[in-house]
Amino acid sequence: MLLNEIVAIVLMLGGFFFLMVGAVGLVRLPDVYNRLHALGKSDTLGSGLIILGLVFVVPGMENIVKLLLMGALVLTINPVMTHLITKTAYVRGTPLAEGSFVVSTYYEEEEDFFSEEGE
Amino acid sequence: MLAQLMARFKRDMKGSAFMFVLLMGFWLLLSGSVDWQHLLMGFFLVSLLTLFWNQLTIDEVGKTKITWRQFRIFLRYSLFLAFEVLRANFIVARIVLDPKLPISPGLIVTRLALKKDLPRVFYSNSITLTPGTISVDLEGDRLLVHGMTRHHAFGVRSWYMYDILKDLEEAEESA
């Protein structure tokens, strides 16, 4: 087996692992916000790693350029869409999971804030 | 119709030429070959695009200045972001695969002092991509963040990425 194939396999298995984590998180976590944590993050790294792995095995410069463009696209679109879904959920008043806290430190000074963190 | 397009093209010759070179370079990057069929097709399509889209050319008025210093700060920011994305995924993996599911989720409202649009976009997107937090809303200087655990949610207030982006903003102002 060639070295670049080994690198590709390792990277793509990593991507597979993180995409699996995202799927497991989607099932296990309690509410829409928490689920988006799992999906928004692990999808970015998961698809990023799979694209990076493919870079090592596709022939030709132009295919590599296309794959890298796709990677950049995923990296920029993913957080934006995650944010949009979260914001929509928030504006529609989707309830938080049971036991969630809501804190405002907007009117507080920095010092007050840090003393609260230790609780 | 065509006369209108040509008139617009004539008014901003330099901008159109720049657009043409940019699009042609992109075409060559994607086609990956320089035989005459590709070049002819590319020339034709890129000319068409330049002609129809030349109200979108980059003119002198709303131009963003990019200095060397800004570029360096941005490079540093990208490196830290890549590292944080990796860390975020390991944290999420550990939480999700833990049988006890150790989460303490919640919303936190904080103040964000960044003024320029671009650093604000960068900052809220970094919050989404990095450990345990996603940005929910950003209205004026009121930033709403959802955290997966209490610890991570409160960590938003003192985060080193903010200092990097503050640097970037100041570099833009002084440019």
Side-chain angles (χ1 to χ4, degrees), chain B residues 4-175:
Chain B
Q4 268 178 353
L5 286 175
M6 283 311 286
R8 233 167 27 198
F9 176 67
K10 281 206 184 79
R11 205 169 52 230
D12 188 13
M13 206 71 122
K14 229 173 82 185
S16 301
F18 180 67
M19 204 61 164
F20 182 85
V21 171
L22 213 66
L23 286 172
M24 200 67 197
F26 188 60
W27 170 272
L28 286 176
L29 217 58
L30 286 189
S31 73
S33 48
V34 284
D35 48 14
W36 68 271
Q37 291 101 326
H38 274 98
L39 282 179
L40 191 69
M41 199 62 200
F43 180 82
F44 177 67
L45 290 174
V46 169
S47 313
L48 217 63
L49 275 180
T50 319
L51 201 63
F52 274 99
W53 275 5
N54 62 1
Q55 73 270 34
L56 294 180
T57 48
I58 300 150
D59 54 5
E60 293 294 320
V61 183
K63 203 148 80 175
T64 316
K65 289 196 191 70
I66 296 174
T67 59
W68 185 235
R69 180 157 167 254
Q70 261 172 300
F71 183 71
R72 269 204 332 261
I73 296 172
F74 186 70
L75 215 63
R76 194 154 60 101
Y77 163 78
S78 315
L79 279 177
F80 278 116
L81 184 67
F83 171 71
E84 289 285 319
V85 167
L86 264 176
R87 207 162 72 88
N89 275 280
F90 280 110
I91 287 173
V92 167
R94 212 174 55 206
I95 290 175
V96 164
L97 299 179
D98 194 311
K100 286 202 294 287
L101 207 63
I103 54 170
S104 51
L107 286 170
I108 180 167
V109 187
T110 61
R111 202 185 281 267
L112 179 66
L114 295 172
K115 299 257 166 12
K116 300 255 182 194
D117 282 344
L118 205 61
R120 280 158 66 99
V121 171
F122 279 148
Y123 190 68
S124 37
N125 276 357
S126 329
I127 285 178
T128 302
L129 280 179
T130 49
T133 47
I134 39 181
S135 53
V136 177
D137 201 2
L138 175 57
E139 206 99 40
D141 68 342
R142 202 174 124 273
L143 175 69
L144 197 60
V145 171
H146 184 269
M148 210 169 180
T149 70
R150 200 181 169 85
H151 170 73
H152 290 132
F154 278 93
V156 165
R157 271 298 285 262
S158 56
W159 196 31
Y160 68 89
M161 292 295 256
Y162 171 77
D163 298 327
I164 300 178
L165 285 171
K166 193 75 192 164
D167 272 1
L168 190 70
E169 192 173 81
E170 275 157 13
E172 195 183 337
E173 270 161 11
S174 65

